[in-house]
């Protein structure tokens, strides 16, 4: 009973439940859930999940990062360009990954050390990073050797798909960090900076770290998306920043900081993407598609915010009950 | 020996927080620092705790200079500062809060078992083991205070700086705090204790240093001075602390001005009723967080609809806006949160209600500011240029210039000095004299005794767990009676306990 | 000495200095920079950005980290939708277009406001998602292929009025001054907006309907963006999908450069206009240098970072 309460009271639980329900619906619609389906689901959405993990980390310390999408684009563009210059795919991927980490560290430096508001900082850096991507590759084009795609679609030990390994690696890094005393400090910082400082917590380091971690996550996302498309585009990650924040909110991560977990971001992203894939398979015209996707994000966020706010959800219940009478 | 402050000063730009502080504290001594708001006592504690830097002077510990660059470094030297506004994280559990400064580890990782054990060991001495595992936001105010103290104890302090216990403690809690501090004293710990509550100072401290306007004025043994003497030293002129007792007018028939039969108090889910007379001052007392604030906020329409009866006519108020239109006014002691507009000028601050809500042809801002003895340069300056007491006068001016028929005041004198406080009381009494009603909460029982003695008719109601536990009138209004009614033992008669269960 | 310094330390100063410096820089880099023609076009684009930044400023002033990230999307929408309104004569349709775009933008803005105030979604997230919805809606109504013909009357706003000042520039300038003085400074709404932005709770306790004030600020921002979109298409002569998407970022930057506090409760529309001018000058210089779009955006980002690092740093935790 206690365990049941613990599970249902978990901040990421509603998102997990939603994900499972819609997974089921999708299964019914497309005729059963197969291993193949999971494989393709994870390989198409690994990038979104990675970015959601990264952005959740920053939101937990009452920050945010809207530059991750630009970093993803940058990684993609760097890989394509380097490949075309004759670098091997793995070298190109590693260099691009390094770029992403540096981008994250730049964010971390400006936010942690220079103490600039995270939203504005990443807003500015996203323009800058996106600019670099556009500068390197002004128009979509170029291709990456298909061996990259094969590696991506393959699996580790024959069971774990490569993208899942990447996601698990991110989760592992984060979990280790959370299990260190830093974990407690991180949630404390998310609740109140001044109190955190007074308690002797290293605020600068933590902020620097979460943004660097977000950079790492964006790097992984960039590798995923490059491998799954095997092509270059300077705006491939453009919509990711916002979608990932929406995913985190749906996953029960409080935008005020200090509440939630990366699992929330992960399940939120899974839910959003399964919903979108249902919409896609429902065969609306491509014209209606983006409008519906926007509405899904809006509705998802509205509902999860209402659900998280006890006072408000009580009011809503009252209204609906009153209406029923 | 011990802890020595020599010539310490600190200013923020042109504002001087500490002019000169000199003080010596022996090992094993509990020293109170007493001073009005803005006297620099909190700043001094923060400097010692490494939260802020000092401009000049030195601090010596056992004849060795100490100068911490951060709270973290201070903690390394076992100098621990604790204050309610800076200590606990509501989203973390009790044990995480207690050990946050020094998390027990095993192989680098957080050791959850050790974390709980540590918390239990410390809380056992406070009879509070049961709260381990709970989130701090779920705790009652006095339990939170205990956790705060436990957090400080967990760091094994050599110097403990305790700033402003704002939550009132139960009597048994005070005993526990005394015992714990006595243990620390035995170990040779130096304790600096900042509080406004005289009773607690007398119970806990050995000696007291008086601060005024950023200067330390002198140190006395606690038993050498009476309460009045200390207050006089603190303010600089001779004052008598409130002596309203015995001066109250007897109970009189009053014209009912406002009748509220159902006032909901959300956090306890209780309902109370109140009849408010013309020209009456009602003091609201009780331990902090027992529904006083909610009582008057509900009257002001802040928790949604409330049905009232005004001069016999039914009246429903949905929002503060309607309350203001009905001639209600609300003054809060929490200026930063509920009162001032920090980025706006004095004129805008003082005219906010008159011009923007009531649509009255406003008086000149200058006239109002002068009328309430605000000390200022010109009406265009920012309100934050003024001292806390003067800021509060601006807020009072804002409301009283609208000539309210019902004034709701939530601890309006919090953090302002005795002089400003007396001005405030005079204005409230004047308003009551004109036939308006005043309902005032105060965390200081003496203040309530004082202000209720200034009106023709008055009452003090005491709340406990969202219920009115006592109504005091006439000579029954005294500090003893108020605190007796506030305490849990006396609040609920035994029969009620029985009938409940 | 102190007094004199204070007088100089006015919120417009960085923007004004920036404008002067950029003009000198522009003239030294390309000779034709301060030509009548170029100045005239700089003023035009500044005017359009100013319209967007007026609304943005109102939202920022409304406080609680208020930001309207849907400005660009709303502008793009009305740029597509506005010219579609065709009535008997060109002039008549112009007079219907203006209230129509104000209404469209205002509705989007009000939805933003409701989301922020009633459902309590963080402004950034609410308006970002709303911009997604609006963009999707634009694709929906145009079928993804805008075929908009902009009427002569609408295009006439870029006709020359006097000297380098074209009609639109003059209109926006008048609008700016009228809104600044009679809307923001003098009106009961504008003054309440400052108080609400400064301290939401205290304003509510004073009997100001804080919720309504903030919601209306978002509505106002949407309406202004709607109008700006119409102006943009009138100036550009053709409409494209997402043609105004960069205006979101630019409007926020303009407001910041203009000295409006992002914490709310303080700010001006005129500052936003000056900030808009700074940004347009920068873009113009970079364009004159024939810089690639990506590089331009990089430099804009770097400049913004520079401004933030000098202007918007949080106070140290240890004082």
């Amino acid at each position: 009973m206690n365990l049941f309460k613990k599970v249902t009271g978990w901040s990421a639980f509603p998102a997990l439940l939603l994900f499972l329900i819609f997974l089921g619906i999708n299964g019914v619609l497309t005729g059963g859930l197969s291993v193949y389906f999971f494989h393709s689901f994870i390989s198409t959405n690994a990038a979104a999940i990675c970015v959601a993990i990264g952005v959740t980390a920053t939101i937990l310390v009452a920050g945010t990062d809207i530059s991750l999408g630009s970093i993803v684009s940058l990684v993609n563009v760097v890989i394509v360009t380097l490949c075309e210059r004759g670098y091997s795919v793995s070298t190109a991927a590693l260099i691009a990954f390094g770029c992403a980490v540096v981008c994250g560290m730049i964010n971390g430096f400006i936010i942690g050390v220079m103490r600039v508001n995270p939203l504005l900082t990443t807003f500015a850096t996203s323009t800058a990073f996106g600019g670099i991507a556009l500068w390197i590759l002004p128009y979509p084009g170029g291709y990456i050797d298909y061996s990259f795609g094969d590696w991506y679609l393959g699996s580790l030990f024959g069971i774990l798909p490569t993208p899942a390994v990447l996601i698990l690696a991110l989760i592992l890094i984060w979990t280790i960090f959370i299990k260190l005393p830093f974990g407690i400090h991180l949630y404390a910082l998310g609740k109140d900076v001044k109190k955190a400082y007074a308690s002797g917590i290293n605020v600068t380091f933590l902020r620097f770290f979460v943004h660097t971690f977000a950079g790492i996550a964006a790097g992984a996302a960039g590798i995923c998306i490059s491998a799954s498309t095997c092509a270059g585009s300077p705006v491939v990650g453009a919509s990711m920043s916002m979608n990932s924040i929406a995913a985190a909110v749906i996953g029960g991560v409080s935008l005020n900081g200090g509440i939630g977990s990366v699992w929330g971001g992960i399940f939120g992203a899974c839910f959003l993407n399964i919903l979108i894939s249902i919409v896609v398979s429902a065969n609306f015209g491509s014209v209606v598609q983006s409008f519906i996707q926007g509405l899904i994000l809006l509705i998802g966020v509205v509902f999860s915010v209402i659900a998280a706010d006890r006072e408000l959800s009580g009011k809503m219940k009252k209204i609906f009950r009153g209406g029923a009478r | 020996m011990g802890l020595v402050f020599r010539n310490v000063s600190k200013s923020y730009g042109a504002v001087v927080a500490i002019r000169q502080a000199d003080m010596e504290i022996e090992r094993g001594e509990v020293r109170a620092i007493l001073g009005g708001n803005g006297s620099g006592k909190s700043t001094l504690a923060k400097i010692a705790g490494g939260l802020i830097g000092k401009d000049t002077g030195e601090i010596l510990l056992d004849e060795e200079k100490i100068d911490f660059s951060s709270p973290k470094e201070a903690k390394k030297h076992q100098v621990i500062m604790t204050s309610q506004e800076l200590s606990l994280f509501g989203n973390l559990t009790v044990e995480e809060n207690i050990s946050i400064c020094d998390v027990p580890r095993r192989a680098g990782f957080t050791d959850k078992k050790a974390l709980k054990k540590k918390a239990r060991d410390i809380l056992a001495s406070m009879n509070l083991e049961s709260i381990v595992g709970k989130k701090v936001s779920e705790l009652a105010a006095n339990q939170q205070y205990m956790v705060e103290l436990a957090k400080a104890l967990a760091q094994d302090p050599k110097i403990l700086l305790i700033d402003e216990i704002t939550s009132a403690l139960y009597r048994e809690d005070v005993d526990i705090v005394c015992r714990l501090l006595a243990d620390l004293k035995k170990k040779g710990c130096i304790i600096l204790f900042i509080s406004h509550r005289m009773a607690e100072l007398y119970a806990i401290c050995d000696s007291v240093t008086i601060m005024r306007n950023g200067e330390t004025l002198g140190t006395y043994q606690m038993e050498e001075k009476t309460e009045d003497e200390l207050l006089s030293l603190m303010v600089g002129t001779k004052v008598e602390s409130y002596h309203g007792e015995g001066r109250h007018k007897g109970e009189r028939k009053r014209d009912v001005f406002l009748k509220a039969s159902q006032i909901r108090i959300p956090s306890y889910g209780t309902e109370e009723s109140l009849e408010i007379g013309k020209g009456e001052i009602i003091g609201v007392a009780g331990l902090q967080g027992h529904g006083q604030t909610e009582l008057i906020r509900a009257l002001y329409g802040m928790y949604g609809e409330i049905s009232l009866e005004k001069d016999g006519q039914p009246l429903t108020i949905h929002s503060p806006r309607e309350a203001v239109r009905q001639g209600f006014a609300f003054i809060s002691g929490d200026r930063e949160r509920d009162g001032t507009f920090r980025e706006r000028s004095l004129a805008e601050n003082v005219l906010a209600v008159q011009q923007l809500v009531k649509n009255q042809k406003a008086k000149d801002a200058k006239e109002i500011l002068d009328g309430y003895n605000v000390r200022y340069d010109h009406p265009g300056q920012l309100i934050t240029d003024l001292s806390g007491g003067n800021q509060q006068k601006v807020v009072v001016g804002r409301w009283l210039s609208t000539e309210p028929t019902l004034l709701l005041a939530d601890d309006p004198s919090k953090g302002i000095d005795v002089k400003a406080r007396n001005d405030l009381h005079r204005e409230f009494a004047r308003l009551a004299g004109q036939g308006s009603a005043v309902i005032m909460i105060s965390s200081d029982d003496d203040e309530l005794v004082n202000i209720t003695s200034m009106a023709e008719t008055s009452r003090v109601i005491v709340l406990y767990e969202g219920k009115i536990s006592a109504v005091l009138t006439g000579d029954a209004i005294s500090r003893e009676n108020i605190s007796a009614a506030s305490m849990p033992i006396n609040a609920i008669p035994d029969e009620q306990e029985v009938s409940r269960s | 000495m102190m007094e004199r310094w204070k007088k100089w330390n006015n919120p417009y100063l960085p923007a004004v200095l920036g404008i002067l410096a950029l003009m000198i820089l522009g003239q030294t880099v390309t000779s034709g920079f301060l030509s009548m023609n170029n100045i005239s076009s700089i003023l035009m684009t500044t005017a359009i950005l100013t319209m967007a930044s007026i609304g943005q400023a109102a939202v920022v002033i409304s406080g609680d980290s208020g930001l309207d990230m849907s400005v660009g999307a709303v502008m793009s929408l009305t740029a597509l939708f506005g010219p579609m309104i065709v009535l008997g004569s060109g002039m008549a349709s112009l007079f219907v277009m203006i209230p129509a775009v104000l209404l469209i933008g205002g509705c989007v803005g009000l939805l933003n406001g409701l989301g922020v105030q009633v459902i309590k979604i963080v402004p950034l997230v609410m308006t970002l998602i709303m911009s997604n919805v609006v963009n999707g809606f634009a694709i929906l109504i145009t079928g993804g292929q805008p075929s908009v013909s902009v009427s002569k009357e609408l295009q006439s706003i870029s006709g020359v009025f006097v000297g380098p000042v074209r009609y639109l520039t003059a209109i926006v300038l008048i609008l700016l001054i009228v809104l600044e003085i009679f809307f923001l400074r003098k009106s009961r709404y504008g003054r309440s907006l400052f108080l609400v932005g400064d301290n939401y709770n205290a304003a509510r306790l004073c009997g100001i309907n804080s919720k309504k004030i903030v919601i209306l600020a978002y509505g106002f921002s949407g309406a202004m963006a709607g109008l700006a979109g119409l102006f943009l298409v009138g100036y550009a002569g053709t409409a494209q999908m997402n043609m105004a998407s960069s205006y979101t970022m630019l409007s926020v930057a303009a407001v910041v450069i203009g000295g409006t506090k992002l914490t709310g409760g303080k700010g001006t529309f005129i500052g936003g206009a000056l900030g808009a001018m700074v940004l347009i000058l920068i873009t113009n210089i970079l364009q004159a240098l024939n810089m690639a779009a990506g590089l331009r955006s990089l430099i804009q980002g770097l400049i913004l970072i520079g401004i933030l690092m000098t202007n918007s740093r949080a106070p140290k935790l240890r004082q």
Side-chain angles (χ1 to χ4, degrees), chain A residues 25-51:
Chain A
I25 293 175
N26 189 60
V28 172
L29 290 176
T30 56
L33 296 168
S34 58
V35 176
Y36 171 76
F37 170 77
F38 281 108
H39 215 129
S40 78
F41 179 76
I42 205 155
S43 54
T44 30
N45 298 312
I49 294 170
C50 289
V51 176

Side-chain angles (χ1 to χ4, degrees), chain C residues 25-108:
Chain C
L25 179 70
Q27 183 64 18
T28 46
V29 173
T30 51
S31 56
F33 191 76
L34 290 181
S35 70
M36 200 67 131
N37 216 356
N38 200 35
I39 288 180
S40 159
S41 86
I42 287 173
L43 288 178
M44 272 305 267
T45 33
T46 304
I48 295 166
L49 181 54
T50 299
M51 282 312 297
S53 76
I54 286 175
Q56 187 70 263
V59 169
V60 172
I61 290 170
S62 80
D64 197 21
S65 56
L67 271 183
D68 189 348
M69 306 295 277
S70 68
V71 164
V74 172
M75 282 176 72
S76 305
L77 179 70
T78 55
L80 289 173
F81 191 70
M84 286 183 186
I85 298 170
V86 180
L87 284 178
S89 77
M91 220 46 203
S93 40
L94 190 60
F95 279 108
V96 181
M97 267 178 219
I98 292 171
V101 293
L102 286 174
L103 192 71
I104 296 171
C107 286
V108 175

Side-chain angles (χ1 to χ4, degrees), chain A residues 283-294:
Chain A
N283 254 336
F284 292 108
S286 65
V287 177
V288 196
Q289 209 71 254
S290 61
F291 182 56
I292 291 183
Q293 285 189 14

